[in-house]
Short mmCIF file of all heavy atoms in Angstrom, two decimals:
data_model
loop_
_atom_site.label_atom_id
_atom_site.label_comp_id
_atom_site.label_asym_id
_atom_site.label_seq_id
_atom_site.Cartn_x
_atom_site.Cartn_y
_atom_site.Cartn_z
N VAL A 110 1.69 -6.07 10.31
CA VAL A 110 2.13 -5.00 11.19
C VAL A 110 1.24 -3.78 10.97
O VAL A 110 0.87 -3.46 9.84
CB VAL A 110 3.62 -4.64 10.94
CG1 VAL A 110 3.86 -4.23 9.50
CG2 VAL A 110 4.08 -3.54 11.89
N ARG A 111 0.88 -3.14 12.06
CA ARG A 111 0.05 -1.94 12.02
C ARG A 111 0.70 -0.86 12.88
O ARG A 111 1.08 -1.12 14.02
CB ARG A 111 -1.35 -2.25 12.56
CG ARG A 111 -2.30 -1.06 12.66
CD ARG A 111 -3.64 -1.54 13.22
NE ARG A 111 -4.65 -0.50 13.18
CZ ARG A 111 -5.00 0.25 14.22
NH1 ARG A 111 -4.40 0.08 15.38
NH2 ARG A 111 -5.94 1.15 14.11
N HIS A 152 2.93 9.72 19.94
CA HIS A 152 3.08 8.40 20.54
C HIS A 152 2.84 7.35 19.45
O HIS A 152 1.72 7.22 18.95
CB HIS A 152 2.09 8.26 21.67
CG HIS A 152 2.16 6.96 22.40
ND1 HIS A 152 3.32 6.48 22.96
CD2 HIS A 152 1.19 6.04 22.68
CE1 HIS A 152 3.07 5.32 23.55
NE2 HIS A 152 1.79 5.03 23.38
N SER A 153 3.85 6.62 19.03
CA SER A 153 3.73 5.63 17.97
C SER A 153 3.38 4.27 18.57
O SER A 153 4.09 3.76 19.42
CB SER A 153 5.04 5.52 17.18
OG SER A 153 5.34 6.73 16.54
N VAL A 154 2.27 3.71 18.13
CA VAL A 154 1.84 2.41 18.59
C VAL A 154 2.05 1.40 17.47
O VAL A 154 1.47 1.54 16.39
CB VAL A 154 0.36 2.42 19.01
CG1 VAL A 154 -0.09 1.03 19.45
CG2 VAL A 154 0.14 3.43 20.12
N VAL A 155 2.89 0.41 17.69
CA VAL A 155 3.17 -0.63 16.71
C VAL A 155 2.52 -1.93 17.19
O VAL A 155 2.79 -2.40 18.29
CB VAL A 155 4.68 -0.84 16.52
CG1 VAL A 155 4.95 -1.96 15.52
CG2 VAL A 155 5.34 0.45 16.06
N GLN A 156 1.66 -2.48 16.37
CA GLN A 156 0.93 -3.70 16.70
C GLN A 156 1.23 -4.77 15.65
O GLN A 156 1.19 -4.49 14.46
CB GLN A 156 -0.57 -3.41 16.78
CG GLN A 156 -0.91 -2.37 17.84
CD GLN A 156 -2.30 -1.80 17.66
OE1 GLN A 156 -2.73 -1.52 16.55
NE2 GLN A 156 -3.01 -1.62 18.76
N ILE A 157 1.53 -5.98 16.10
CA ILE A 157 1.91 -7.07 15.20
C ILE A 157 0.99 -8.26 15.43
O ILE A 157 0.86 -8.77 16.55
CB ILE A 157 3.38 -7.48 15.42
CG1 ILE A 157 4.30 -6.29 15.15
CG2 ILE A 157 3.75 -8.65 14.51
CD1 ILE A 157 5.74 -6.52 15.55
N TRP A 165 -2.58 -10.49 18.58
CA TRP A 165 -1.82 -9.25 18.40
C TRP A 165 -0.89 -9.04 19.59
O TRP A 165 -1.19 -9.42 20.72
CB TRP A 165 -2.76 -8.05 18.31
CG TRP A 165 -3.58 -7.96 17.07
CD1 TRP A 165 -4.79 -8.54 16.84
CD2 TRP A 165 -3.24 -7.24 15.88
NE1 TRP A 165 -5.24 -8.22 15.59
CE2 TRP A 165 -4.32 -7.43 14.97
CE3 TRP A 165 -2.15 -6.46 15.49
CZ2 TRP A 165 -4.33 -6.85 13.70
CZ3 TRP A 165 -2.15 -5.89 14.23
CH2 TRP A 165 -3.23 -6.10 13.34
N ARG A 166 0.25 -8.43 19.30
CA ARG A 166 1.16 -7.94 20.33
C ARG A 166 1.37 -6.45 20.10
O ARG A 166 1.47 -6.00 18.97
CB ARG A 166 2.52 -8.65 20.26
CG ARG A 166 2.44 -10.12 20.66
CD ARG A 166 3.80 -10.79 20.55
NE ARG A 166 4.21 -10.96 19.16
CZ ARG A 166 5.15 -10.26 18.54
NH1 ARG A 166 5.79 -9.29 19.20
NH2 ARG A 166 5.47 -10.49 17.29
N THR A 167 1.44 -5.70 21.18
CA THR A 167 1.63 -4.25 21.09
C THR A 167 2.95 -3.86 21.72
O THR A 167 3.28 -4.30 22.82
CB THR A 167 0.49 -3.50 21.80
OG1 THR A 167 -0.76 -3.86 21.21
CG2 THR A 167 0.69 -2.00 21.69
N CYS A 168 3.72 -3.03 21.00
CA CYS A 168 4.95 -2.49 21.57
C CYS A 168 4.98 -0.99 21.33
O CYS A 168 4.52 -0.50 20.30
CB CYS A 168 6.19 -3.16 20.98
SG CYS A 168 6.33 -3.04 19.19
N GLN A 169 5.50 -0.25 22.28
CA GLN A 169 5.57 1.20 22.19
C GLN A 169 6.90 1.60 21.56
O GLN A 169 7.95 1.24 22.05
CB GLN A 169 5.45 1.84 23.58
CG GLN A 169 4.29 1.31 24.40
CD GLN A 169 2.95 1.53 23.73
OE1 GLN A 169 2.77 2.50 23.02
NE2 GLN A 169 2.02 0.62 23.96
N CYS A 170 6.84 2.33 20.45
CA CYS A 170 8.05 2.76 19.74
C CYS A 170 8.21 4.28 19.87
O CYS A 170 7.84 5.03 18.98
CB CYS A 170 8.01 2.35 18.27
SG CYS A 170 8.03 0.57 18.02
N GLN A 171 8.71 4.70 21.01
CA GLN A 171 8.89 6.12 21.22
C GLN A 171 10.01 6.68 20.34
O GLN A 171 10.03 7.86 20.03
CB GLN A 171 9.24 6.38 22.70
CG GLN A 171 8.17 5.93 23.68
CD GLN A 171 6.96 6.84 23.67
OE1 GLN A 171 6.91 7.83 22.95
NE2 GLN A 171 5.97 6.51 24.48
N PHE A 208 10.70 -2.22 7.47
CA PHE A 208 10.36 -2.99 8.66
C PHE A 208 10.81 -4.43 8.43
O PHE A 208 10.34 -5.08 7.49
CB PHE A 208 8.87 -2.94 8.95
CG PHE A 208 8.46 -3.75 10.16
CD1 PHE A 208 8.72 -3.27 11.43
CD2 PHE A 208 7.82 -4.97 10.02
CE1 PHE A 208 8.35 -4.01 12.55
CE2 PHE A 208 7.45 -5.71 11.12
CZ PHE A 208 7.71 -5.23 12.40
N GLU A 213 11.57 -7.51 13.69
CA GLU A 213 10.53 -6.58 14.09
C GLU A 213 11.08 -5.21 14.49
O GLU A 213 10.76 -4.68 15.55
CB GLU A 213 9.67 -7.18 15.20
CG GLU A 213 8.95 -8.46 14.79
CD GLU A 213 8.05 -9.02 15.87
OE1 GLU A 213 8.09 -8.49 17.01
OE2 GLU A 213 7.31 -9.98 15.60
N PHE A 215 12.17 -1.18 12.84
CA PHE A 215 12.12 -0.22 11.75
C PHE A 215 13.51 0.34 11.51
O PHE A 215 14.30 0.50 12.44
CB PHE A 215 11.15 0.92 12.08
CG PHE A 215 9.71 0.55 11.93
CD1 PHE A 215 9.00 0.02 13.00
CD2 PHE A 215 9.05 0.74 10.72
CE1 PHE A 215 7.67 -0.33 12.87
CE2 PHE A 215 7.72 0.39 10.58
CZ PHE A 215 7.03 -0.14 11.66
#
Side-chain angles (χ1 to χ4, degrees):
V110 58
R111 176 181 188 260
H152 182 54
S153 297
V154 179
V155 179
Q156 300 164 318
I157 300 171
W165 290 87
R166 291 179 289 107
T167 301
C168 58
Q169 311 300 328
C170 295
Q171 300 286 359
F208 179 76
E213 299 183 352
F215 283 90

